Structures are given as structure tokens and as C-alpha cells.
Amino acid sequence: MRGVVVAGTASGVGKTVTTLAVCRALEREGYAVQPAKAGPDFIDPSHHAAVVGKPSLTLDPWLEGEDGMRRTYARGEGDICVVEGMMGLYDGDTSTARVAALLDLPVVLVADARAGMQSVAATAYGFRTYADRMGIEADVAGVIASRAHGGRHAEGIRDALPEELPYLGRIPPSDDLEIPERHLGLHLGDEAPLSDEALDAAADGIRADALAEVARKPEWNTEEFEAGIRAESSQATDSDGPTVAVARDEAFCFVYPSTLDRLESLGTASYFSPVAGDDLPDCDGVYLPGGYPERFAAELASSTTLPALADRAADGLPVFGECGGLMALTESLTTTDGDTHEMAGILPADVTMRERYQALDHVELRATDGTLTADAGETLRGHEFHYSSADPATDARFAFDVERGTGIDGREGLTEYRTLGTYAHVHPESGAFDRFVSRLAD
């Protein structure tokens, strides 16, 4: 599968809208598109899925390892993979430039053209040459001008670009192309999708065939490598494997598609909605992903699902909650309005929402004892981004020491019975979900 990375000169230049317009433009030209996201984000991929109609791949070398990230890429299906970058091209120690270099994919640079013409070309040229200074093999191979008018404005940018940096189109300035934001990022794709009319208008400005020519197949993605991935994917689901009940609704919506695929390949995933008050399915274990439990705290507090889950957890049912899942497993959740709602009461802590984020980083955890997702002494990599703080009881037990990141008072993984709750999100390429499922038979 060929691919291209859509990267920005900075955060806020319109990468997500540009990525969606590129996907729409390529599809209109008959290309099958596989969307993807560099980094650990859950929200941008929801917009990809809303437009393309298939799950977006997560490509993050910290979460997955370099080989794991490449395996994730190779599992994609389509003619061209369109990877949305994170922040500015060179920002962060796990930057978009590094992801593009490790995947051997060309970069299409999104430059904000609201107040520039020739200077947009100068900026793009600087980003191309800066790769050598950084020692990163990032191939900036084309430019899309964001918030650029047509006519003389677009022509001035196009004519100023050097031959080695082709002009691949523009995104017009339009209020219809603005996606609302809240804490943790943009609204989700199914909450605030761009209208088809606005997206089609944006796609009209993309030179789809020229962009398709820029896309290339990575050299590492050989026929032998792809054959191995196909053989792995063709293995039948273990119908005799354990059943994992997975919370899926507006409160528990941050889950990597690869996680669900892995759980379904290791056994059976049975979905339920705590917000709707669904009965807990017959299962061998429970997984509560992250999301927005604070937005649905009243519904969760009044539902019969969390008390039933607490009873089963006290009986020894393994339960794993990540971030929002952790919050739902604690004693109480207090919103920014000051309203306190009872949660499941399994983990000995109270959670309070804050006005600004409390943690945002890739994390590395070391298990102090064997737990649901790691053996004693083993390290586990993940990502944390949350606006809440947890106040654990003085006798609370933790499963991990934090070697990088914030966690909960420098520790991580509240544990009680056979329940584990972490602020950290992990990817299945870490092996965490394989270990979780293996523990269900213990």
C-alpha cells in the first residue's frame, strides 16, 4: 500500500480538515483510501472514520515499537494510506517527521497561507531543508496551502514554490470547515462532522492525481512482509477463547481499532453501554476504555451497570479500565460544576475534573508485581492525557512505578480485587491485551 503523511508547519494550521479533504479528493478519483493518524490521538481518527467509512490506523513508535507500527500500517487496506501528522512536523521527541522517516513515507506539508504568498513557499522550503539539520530522513515532497483563496493568492504560492516542492492544492478559508473544540481536543467525528458540501468544496482544491503520484510504497513493506501479515490476519478467531465485555458508548469511546481487533482474535468481544444501563454480558473479563465519563456522570451514577460491575469485581472478575474507565471504577467523580456523582466504588479513590489538563505525555511504567497487563518487573509504554485528578486512599495499592509521565502521585495502576485502573492508554502492540486475556483463564 502506498502512503503519504499530511503534516503541518505547526498545530492549528488545519491538518485534520486537510486530511479529510485529501481523503475525499482521492476517493473521488477512484482510489481506495486507508486513513491513519501519527501519534496516540483518538479524536482525529473519529473524523477520518466518519468521512472514509473505515477505522483509522494508529501509528506511534512509542506505543507500538518501530516493528509494531509497521505491522499496523501493513494491516491497512486500500490503494493509498493518508496519515495525519501531529503538532508541527518536527515537534516532540516522537515527531511526525520521525514517524514518516520510520515508515519511509513522503510528507505533504500543510502551511497556513492566510497572510502570505511567497513567504509560504519560503516556509515550506525551510521545512524541507531542515530535515538534514535534524538528521531525520523526512522527505517533504509537496505543499498544500491551508486557508488560501483562489486566483492570484493560490497562483502566487504555486509559482513561488521550487520545482522539487510541487503545489498540491489549497483549502479555502471557510467557517464551514471549522470543527468545534473542547477539552481533550476537537469534538468527535460523529458529534460534529463536516458537511458533505463543505468537504466537497475543500476537496475541489486538492490536486488528487498529483498527490497520488507523490505517495509511495515503503521499501520495508516487501511482499514477504505483507505475506506474513496476511497469514497472521487469516488465522481464525479463537472461538474457544475468553469473552471480554467491552464498554462502548459516548462515555467510553476512546479505543484503538487495533485493540478491538486483537480482543476479537483472542476470543470474543461482547459490547455493552454503561450509560444506557445495559446488563453486564456473560464474560470472563471486562474492559472499560477511556472517553468522557464526566459528560455522562449523572447517567452513570443512576445506571444499574456500575453497581453490577462492582459486585462482579468483588467476586474476582478481572476488570481493566483506562483513563475514563479508571474514573468510572473509583468511588466518586466530581465535575467542574462541583457536582459529585457516585461511581462503581471498586477502586479506592475520588476523582475531580479540573479546568486545565493534568497530564499530557507518553509514559513508561514498570510493574512492581504481576498485574493484569504486565508481569512483575516488566515495562509498559502508553500515553496519558486527562483533565481529572485522582485522590487515592492512604492504603491504596498500585501496580506500577512511573518511569516517565505523571500517573497518580508518581505511581500508576490502582488495583483492588482483580481490577486494574490506569490513566495510561496502551496499544495492543505493547502486548498488554494479550497478557490481559491470558490472565482471564487463571
Side-chain angles (χ1 to χ4, degrees), residues 97-114:
R98 181 164 178 255
V99 171
L102 291 173
L103 290 174
D104 187 29
L105 294 178
V107 172
V108 171
L109 189 69
V110 181
D112 192 338
R114 279 180 295 187

Side-chain angles (χ1 to χ4, degrees), residues 308-322:
L309 179 60
D311 290 341
R312 293 293 306 278
D315 290 338
L317 180 71
V319 181
F320 175 36
E322 291 184 308

Side-chain angles (χ1 to χ4, degrees), residues 13 22 81 86 121 134 136 149 169 174 176 204 207 218 224-225 254 275 279 314 328 332 381 400 402 409-410:
V13 298
V22 165
C81 183
M86 53 186 164
M134 290 290 291
I136 298 177
H149 295 279
S174 171
D176 292 336
D204 288 342
R207 300 178 63 204
E224 182 180 5
F225 189 93
F254 289 176
V275 170
D279 292 335
S332 69
R381 287 184 167 188
F400 298 98
V402 177
D409 294 336

Side-chain angles (χ1 to χ4, degrees), residues 2 19 32 112 122 126 150 188 213 245 320 404:
R2 290 183 291 157
T19 298
D112 192 338
L188 293 168
E213 290 180 8
F320 175 36
R404 169 176 169 161

Side-chain angles (χ1 to χ4, degrees), residues 347-382:
L347 297 176
D350 295 294
V351 170
T352 302
M353 296 301 302
R354 306 298 181 184
E355 293 291 345
R356 71 182 309 271
Y357 70 82
Q358 303 298 295
L360 171 58
D361 199 3
H362 281 110
V363 301
E364 187 167 28
L365 313 175
R366 183 174 296 276
T368 53
D369 296 299
T371 186
L372 286 177
T373 57
D375 296 324
E378 189 173 22
T379 59
L380 193 61
R381 287 184 167 188

Side-chain angles (χ1 to χ4, degrees), residues 238-254:
D238 183 2
S239 58
D240 296 325
T243 296
V244 178
V246 180
R248 290 298 305 276
D249 57 27
E250 301 94 330
F252 304 99
C253 51
F254 289 176

Side-chain angles (χ1 to χ4, degrees), residues 262-408:
R262 190 61 184 158
L263 290 176
E264 290 170 355
S265 72
L266 294 170
T268 301
S270 182
Y271 301 100
F272 70 107
S273 169
V275 170
D278 289 350
D279 292 335
L280 189 66
D282 291 335
C283 62
D284 302 292
V286 178
Y287 170 48
L288 301 179
Y292 295 109
E294 67 276 12
R295 294 180 54 215
F296 301 92
E299 291 89 337
L300 290 171
S302 63
S303 111
T304 58
T305 307
L306 292 188
L309 179 60
D311 290 341
R312 293 293 306 278
D315 290 338
L317 180 71
V319 181
F320 175 36
E322 291 184 308
C323 200
L326 158 71
M327 294 160 63
L329 293 171
T330 61
E331 299 281 350
S332 69
L333 171 57
T334 300
T335 67
T336 53
D337 294 330
D339 298 323
T340 299
H341 302 272
E342 289 187 7
M343 293 290 104
I346 302 169
L347 297 176
D350 295 294
V351 170
T352 302
M353 296 301 302
R354 306 298 181 184
E355 293 291 345
R356 71 182 309 271
Y357 70 82
Q358 303 298 295
L360 171 58
D361 199 3
H362 281 110
V363 301
E364 187 167 28
L365 313 175
R366 183 174 296 276
T368 53
D369 296 299
T371 186
L372 286 177
T373 57
D375 296 324
E378 189 173 22
T379 59
L380 193 61
R381 287 184 167 188
H383 182 262
E384 59 181 357
F385 184 17
H386 54 92
Y387 275 66
S388 69
S389 61
D391 181 21
T394 56
D395 60 349
R397 294 181 295 120
F398 293 86
F400 298 98
D401 288 330
V402 177
E403 300 201 343
R404 169 176 169 161
T406 301
I408 305 170

